[in-house]
Amino acid sequence: EAQVTQNPRYLITVTGKKLTVTCSQNMNHEYMSWYRQDPGLGLRQIYYSMNVEVTDKGDVPEGYKVSRKEKRNFPLILESPSPNQTSLYFCASSLYPTSGDAGEQFFGPGTRLTVL
Amino acid sequence: GENVEQHPSTLSVQEGDSAVIKCTYSDSASNYFPWYKQELGKRPQLIIDIRSNVGEKKDQRIAVTLNKTAKHFSLHITETQPEDSAVYFCAAHGEGTYKYIFGTGTRLKVLA
């Protein structure tokens, strides 16, 4: 089954404790992205990746890191989480051929993160 | 920076009526405009999209229109049904930047 998976789905942690949220897709998509969703603010892009070893900042990258060592995986790293990073996080992926147009983004199930 | 404004933030319609949600984008380089539906507790899912070389696209009860000159695009849902109740997000994607900018969402309630 074609899908985007995220783990964990729920996480409660404390300020300053490093954490990683994993994201994996099995559709051979070039483009992967992380979003955070907060009430009244919609979805805001944190980082995106056009392909392996190619990543770039979205609108709200502060406090986050990403890596793209393999095409299927795009982990989100919070080196020192703070309470203002409490949010619902979505990973997404899409086809994006080098000389083509963006394709439909498929979203993962979401990770609800609480930082105390 | 680039932004997308979405209106209204909430919309209530009677079952069978039409619903229209409007978005305005700032980046003239935007060339792809998807619309997502998010049901309560679920992930966003694409319902329709339009590219900058097209003015209108329709899929059954859903249509999207794009006015590049005015930098407006709109979602039209006809013959609304209770299962259309959800939050709808518009987005703009820029050629060259590869970023997605989302609107803040519209909560649509279809009253039976």
Side-chain angles (χ1 to χ4, degrees):
Chain A
E1 181 192 352
Q3 60 183 344
V4 179
T5 57
Q6 292 178 230
N7 282 292
R9 297 288 314 280
Y10 303 90
L11 179 60
I12 301 174
T13 189
V14 295
T15 298
K17 187 175 180 182
K18 181 179 178 179
L19 67 91
T20 299
V21 184
T22 64
C23 173
S24 184
Q25 50 92 7
N26 62 0
M27 295 171 279
N28 201 35
H29 286 167
E30 294 85 2
Y31 189 92
M32 296 187 75
S33 182
W34 277 103
Y35 298 91
R36 60 177 290 173
Q37 183 173 23
D38 302 289
L41 297 178
L43 290 150
R44 293 180 292 167
Q45 193 171 39
I46 304 170
Y47 270 95
Y48 62 92
S49 170
M50 291 296 291
N51 215 322
V52 176
E53 303 292 1
V54 181
T55 63
D56 208 345
K57 297 176 182 178
D59 264 5
V60 289
E62 297 79 17
Y64 305 94
K65 285 176 58 176
V66 293
S67 68
R68 186 93 181 271
K69 293 182 169 48
E70 305 164 285
K71 197 171 185 179
R72 63 183 294 130
N73 296 324
F74 190 46
L76 179 70
I77 303 155
L78 285 73
E79 295 268 5
S80 182
S82 62
N84 64 11
Q85 292 178 299
T86 292
S87 187
L88 177 60
Y89 291 86
F90 286 102
C91 179
S93 74
S94 72
L95 281 171
Y96 210 136
T98 305
S99 58
D101 296 325
E104 173 183 354
Q105 280 197 104
F106 292 87
F107 283 79
T111 295
R112 187 165 293 281
L113 172 66
T114 301
V115 183
L116 302 174
Chain B
E2 302 93 345
N3 78 304
V4 173
E5 291 189 7
Q6 183 172 346
H7 297 282
S9 56
T10 61
L11 178 60
S12 293
V13 299
Q14 289 295 132
E15 183 178 359
D17 287 350
S18 295
V20 180
I21 303 170
K22 298 182 179 182
C23 289
T24 304
Y25 61 97
S26 62
D27 184 3
S28 55
S30 297
N31 64 350
Y32 174 59
F33 307 92
W35 285 89
Y36 296 87
K37 176 184 180 181
Q38 186 178 29
E39 296 175 349
L40 191 62
K42 300 285 183 66
R43 70 192 80 185
Q45 290 193 294
L46 182 78
I47 55 170
I48 196 166
D49 56 13
I50 192 167
R51 299 190 189 272
S52 58
N53 58 350
V54 176
E56 184 173 358
K57 184 176 178 180
K58 192 172 181 181
D59 183 3
Q60 299 183 327
R61 296 186 298 110
I62 295 173
V64 56
T65 58
L66 171 65
N67 182 331
K68 285 176 58 181
T69 303
K71 296 184 196 170
H72 287 167
F73 58 114
S74 299
L75 177 71
H76 304 254
I77 306 174
T78 59
E79 301 171 18
T80 53
Q81 300 166 3
E83 52 264 38
D84 294 329
S85 295
V87 178
Y88 291 81
F89 293 99
C90 63
H93 180 75
E95 181 179 12
T97 68
Y98 308 110
K99 284 184 184 180
Y100 281 89
I101 307 294
F102 279 73
T104 51
T106 296
R107 183 173 299 279
L108 174 65
K109 295 181 186 177
V110 179
L111 307 170

